[in-house]
Amino acid sequence: MRWSPGAVLAALALLVALPYDAASHGAQGAVTRAADGGSTGGAAQPARADRPFGAECRSSVQGSTAVAYCHNPYPETDRVRLHIECDRWWDVDSDSAPVAAGAAATVRLTGRCWKEIRSVWVSHQR
């Protein structure tokens, strides 16, 4: 069976458009929906800690340079920081300044060591 490029693109578009349920995928801090116990009769607003939060980040290392792209699909701003641990004992590890990733925004974080990089990670802050 041969797939046309249009059919492949349509399938990919559907896959990207499918909702992602973090609770069913074992994500930490899964969202729980509780009924409103108050007398307002309206839908309950989830507590700030229960709302989905956090940009999705992808990092790469090329020689002594690290790059991370973080995309925030949520309405609340995520302040992301790039942390780099250098391999050599004399090379200074670095932490970037926090960068605000607003709703539906993608930010780029970069950093480097003089020589090799041992590890790279991104932290998130509300």
Side-chain angles (χ1 to χ4, degrees):
M1 177 177 192
R2 187 157 190 219
W3 291 83
S4 71
V8 172
L9 288 175
L12 286 174
L14 279 174
L15 183 61
V16 171
L18 288 175
Y20 177 77
D21 182 13
S24 68
H25 287 84
Q28 291 182 358
V31 179
T32 56
R33 309 244 183 234
D36 186 8
S39 60
T40 59
Q45 285 291 333
R48 183 174 179 180
D50 290 344
R51 289 192 304 235
F53 172 79
E56 177 187 341
C57 299
R58 297 174 189 258
S59 61
S60 65
V61 175
Q62 188 77 5
S64 62
T65 303
V67 177
Y69 289 95
C70 296
H71 176 72
N72 183 13
Y74 302 112
E76 189 173 345
T77 299
D78 183 3
R79 294 167 48 91
V80 292
R81 295 179 70 175
L82 179 65
H83 305 277
I84 301 174
E85 183 179 356
C86 300
D87 197 32
R88 308 289 177 118
W89 66 268
W90 48 263
D91 208 344
V92 180
D93 298 342
S94 65
D95 302 317
S96 73
V99 176
T106 301
V107 296
R108 180 177 189 253
L109 307 167
T110 61
R112 66 181 312 266
C113 293
W114 283 101
K115 290 284 187 176
E116 301 86 12
I117 293 176
R118 179 175 296 167
S119 62
V120 173
W121 68 96
V122 176
S123 63
H124 304 266
Q125 181 182 16
R126 286 187 188 268

